């Protein structure tokens, strides 16, 4: 069988040493690894090559709020190749104030099993602006 | 004119100011006031909607607004902390009289027993780096664009070039890509990025955005609106190399070229300043050269981790409260911290050697250039106070080290901080 071996350079982001290693891949399987100084880096490189994940942070429109946008965050990291699709999905979402930090804005986004939640409180515009307190 | 009196007045309601207010309240100040010119508390964090904040302080990855929210709640839980929003501090006098203005109350005169400066920093603009070319619309600082995109609901452009590869520039490259913009390139004048590797990977490589190191903008084109820029390679002296120019078509140029501590108020008071950090000279209590005036956060030196900003705010607030309660110690011997040989800045710049000798003194340092396997050494009276091997040191990441309490007795008038390459050769 004619195995196609591919090498990928991966910058490790786990600790400040920032080792740049190389992962060899053949037929979708990892066949070798070099340049990562510790097991944590090897684990990171393995995941980065097989199933890379990213936390998504973005905004959605909010009506009646003190600001026109509400920042949101995915509760868990999402598959990297679905990040743009999820961002596109969020650009169509609009909610109404008030919202509390942690409120679910999009449940189970694109069926990936991850909720996208508000990352701050957003009071309604009618509420009196904070002046002297206490 | 409304007149009010407080024990501790904090100027600026970002993470430094909020931590200072909470800590002043917890350390005996009876009446604390936070003055913030923006429409809400939280400072720059409210526009930093990405995650990665709070790993030290809260042992979890929060977004900027999430981190700010925690401190805003802590402030709200303390009934002796008052907050004035939409209020700009105009001046602070040596007798701690503060003049501020807002649309509701007009001019306010506020007196304080102790003042904490926590005004943060501002961005360097196009004027600061003298880019030649015409002056069309479409040139923004990256932080201003961050506020537009994340809080106000505007995009600064569709085809973007970013100058500067610090974390703010990198994060905006990702943010604008997620919003559907075409980010053409990030240009960096230095031969290395000042941003975290994590941000280079997740903000540029993930989106296929090229990073041109040792490159800068030499021309901006367009009459009413930016239509493109010319960039060029630079030599070792950071001068553009003739013949290396190429054009990039874009309708927006974002500048992420550094932050300057916002010290008009402190400067006007005649507080001693550090030319390299751009902030006031402080001791380990974060007291400035004027007794009763304290400073914390980006107003002292530009931080990369907000966790350290909160820590510094806590210290400043605590000792401001003690000063207000008459428990201050502004007498006693002072030692200067001198950064040299590859160390660019060190904060605090002064160590006070009186009744605080029992606590270790934490130093925050920035190195001059990226180094691998160097030794950080602290010396005084030719005694070695501290020696630490740093596997890596980068200008963009603050180096933190503690002078142990038992070593403080050995300190003379000067403490020198140096980097040594392994093998004995100096780092510079
Ligand atoms: C654009 C930008 C992006 C950043 N992104 C990150 C990031 O992603 N991650 C990170 O860890 N750090 C980031 N930083 C660094 C960040 O500044 C610190 O982490 C932290 O927010 C600094 O806190 P601070 O309280 O010192 O300053 P700030 O958060 O800037 O707060 C200062 C406050 O003082 C107020 N103020 C100033 N002058 C006056 C006055 N005269 N009267 C009344 N109020 C006044 C301002 O309105 C502001 O709210 C960023 C900085 C900037 C400028
Ligand atoms: S491989 Fe290990 S030592 Fe190297 S950067 Fe990754 S975590 Fe750090």
């Amino acid at each position: 069988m004619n195995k196609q071996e591919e090498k990928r350079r991966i910058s490790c982001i786990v600790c400040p040493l920032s080792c740049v290693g190389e992962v060899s891949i053949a037929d979708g399987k990892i066949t070798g690894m070099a340049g990562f100084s510790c097991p944590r880096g090897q684990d990171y490189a393995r995941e980065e090559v097989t199933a890379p994940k990213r936390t998504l942070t973005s905004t959605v429109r909010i009506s009646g709020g003190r600001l026109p946008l509400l920042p949101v965050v995915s509760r868990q990291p999402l598959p990297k190749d679905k990040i743009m699709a999820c961002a596109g999905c969020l650009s169509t979402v609009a909610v109404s104030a008030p919202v509390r930090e942690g409120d679910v804005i999009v449940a189970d986004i694109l069926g990936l099993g991850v909720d996208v939640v508000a990352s701050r409180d957003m009071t309604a515009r009618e509420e009196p602006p904070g002046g002297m307190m206490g | 004119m409304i007149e009010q009196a407080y024990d501790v007045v904090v100027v600026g309601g970002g993470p430094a100011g909020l931590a200072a207010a909470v800590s002043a309240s917890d350390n005996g100040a009876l009446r604390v006031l936070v003055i913030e010119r923006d429409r809400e508390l939280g400072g720059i964090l409210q526009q930093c909607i990405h995650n990665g904040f709070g790993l030290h302080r809260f042992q979890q990855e929060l977004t900027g607004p999430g981190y700010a929210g925690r401190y805003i709640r802590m402030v709200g839980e303390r009934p002796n902390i008052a907050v004035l929003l939409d209020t700009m501090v105009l001046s602070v006098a040596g007798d701690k009289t503060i003049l501020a203005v807002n649309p509701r109350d007009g001019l306010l005169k506020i007196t304080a027993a102790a003042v904490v400066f926590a005004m943060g920093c501002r961005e360097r603009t196009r004027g600061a780096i003298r880019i030649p070319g015409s002056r069309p619309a479409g040139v923004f600082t990256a932080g201003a664009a961050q506020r537009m995109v994340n809080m106000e609901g505007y995009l600064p452009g569709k085809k973007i070039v970013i100058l500067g590869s610090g974390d703010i520039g990198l994060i905006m490259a990702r943010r604008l890509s997620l919003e559907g913009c075409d980010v053409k390139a990030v240009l960096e004048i230095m031969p290395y990025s000042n941003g975290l590797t994590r941000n280079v990977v997740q903000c540029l490589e993930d989106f296929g955005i090229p990073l041109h190191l040792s490159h800068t903008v030499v021309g901006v084109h367009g009459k009413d609106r930016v239509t493109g820029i010319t960039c060029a390679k630079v030599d070792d002296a950071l001068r553009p190399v003739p013949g290396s120019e190429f054009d990039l078509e874009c309708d927006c140029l974002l500048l992420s070229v550094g932050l300057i501590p916002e010290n008009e108020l402190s400067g006007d008071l005649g507080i001693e300043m550090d030319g390299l950090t751009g902030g006031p000279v402080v001791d380990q209590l974060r007291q400035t050269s004027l007794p009763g005036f304290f400073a914390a956060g980006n107003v002292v030196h530009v931080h990369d981790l907000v966790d350290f900003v909160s820590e510094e705010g806590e210290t400043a607030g605590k000792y401001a409260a003690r000063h207000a309660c008459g428990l201050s110690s502004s007498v006693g011997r002072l030692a200067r911290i001198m950064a040299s040989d590859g160390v660019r800045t060190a904060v605090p710049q002064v160590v006070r050697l009186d009744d605080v000798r029992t606590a270790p003194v934490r130093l925050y340092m920035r190195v001059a250039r990226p180094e691998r396997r160097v030794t950080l050494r602290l010396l005084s009276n030719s005694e070695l106070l501290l020696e630490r091997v740093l596997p890596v040191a980068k200008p963009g990441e603050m180096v933190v080290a503690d002078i142990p309490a038992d070593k403080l007795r050995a300190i003379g008038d000067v403490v020198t901080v140096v980097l040594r390459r392994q093998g004995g050769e100096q780092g510079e």
Side-chain angles (χ1 to χ4, degrees), chain A residues 1-7 24-29 31:
Chain A
M1 210 165 62
N2 209 350
K3 276 196 181 170
Q4 280 268 6
E5 203 181 48
E6 184 208 345
K7 283 189 194 294
S24 314
I25 307 154
D27 288 343
K29 290 208 172 58
T31 53

Side-chain angles (χ1 to χ4, degrees), chain B residues 67-127:
Chain B
Y67 189 99
R70 268 150 217 260
Y71 270 93
I72 293 171
R73 265 168 245 142
M74 284 186 238
V75 165
E77 284 158 10
R78 286 165 178 76
N80 65 337
I81 305 179
V83 176
L84 272 174
L85 295 177
D86 276 321
T87 308
M88 174 90 184
V89 172
L90 302 174
S91 72
V92 182
D95 66 355
K96 308 193 184 71
T97 305
I98 296 156
L99 272 189
V101 67
N102 72 33
R104 192 182 50 245
D105 308 309
L107 210 53
L108 291 149
K109 187 172 163 187
I110 296 157
T111 55
V115 175
V116 180
F117 289 120
M119 290 88 73
C121 56
R122 60 167 177 260
E123 298 181 278
R124 292 174 73 200
T125 57
R126 180 172 176 178

Side-chain angles (χ1 to χ4, degrees), chain B residues 258-415:
Chain B
L259 301 170
I260 310 165
E262 179 123 2
N263 275 296
E264 277 65 30
L265 296 173
S266 3
D268 288 349
L269 268 168
I271 284 175
E272 187 189 345
M273 304 296 281
D274 178 334
L276 286 175
T277 57
V281 169
V282 291
D283 64 20
Q284 75 269 39
L285 316 181
R286 296 301 180 274
Q287 185 162 225
T288 66
S289 61
L290 273 189
F293 289 91
F294 297 78
N298 279 0
V299 86
V300 176
H301 56 146
V302 177
H303 289 67
D304 29 79
L305 284 181
V306 70
D307 311 69
F308 293 147
V309 170
S310 301
E311 186 175 299
E312 198 167 88
E314 235 161 54
T315 305
K318 173 178 171 183
Y319 289 100
R322 287 176 64 89
H323 183 93
C325 298
L327 299 169
S328 60
S329 50
S330 41
V331 287
R333 199 158 64 83
L334 296 177
R336 296 297 289 206
I337 310 271
M338 306 293 284
S340 65
D341 291 337
V343 185
R344 204 173 112 80
T345 61
V347 173
Q349 296 89 341
V350 169
V351 181
R352 191 171 286 287
L353 297 164
D354 43 21
D355 61 342
V356 286
R357 281 196 201 199
T358 45
V361 173
R362 174 159 289 188
L363 296 182
Y364 298 92
M365 290 150 289
R366 279 199 193 278
V367 298
R369 68 190 65 80
E371 304 273 5
R372 273 187 183 266
R373 279 184 301 284
V374 281
T375 310
L376 177 77
R377 309 183 84 202
L378 260 74
L379 300 139
S380 190
N381 285 340
S382 62
E383 179 166 344
L384 191 61
L385 303 174
L386 181 88
E387 184 170 54
R388 223 175 78 197
V389 176
L390 307 174
V392 281
K394 296 178 190 165
E397 290 172 43
M398 222 142 58
V399 179
V400 184
D402 291 336
I403 310 178
D406 61 323
K407 292 282 185 188
L408 293 175
R409 290 196 183 280
I411 289 188
D413 293 339
V414 175
V415 177

Side-chain angles (χ1 to χ4, degrees), chain A residues 12-19 35-42:
Chain A
C12 181
I13 62 165
V14 178
C15 91
L17 273 183
S18 307
C19 299
F36 301 100
S37 316
C38 79
R40 285 198 303 159
Q42 292 174 1

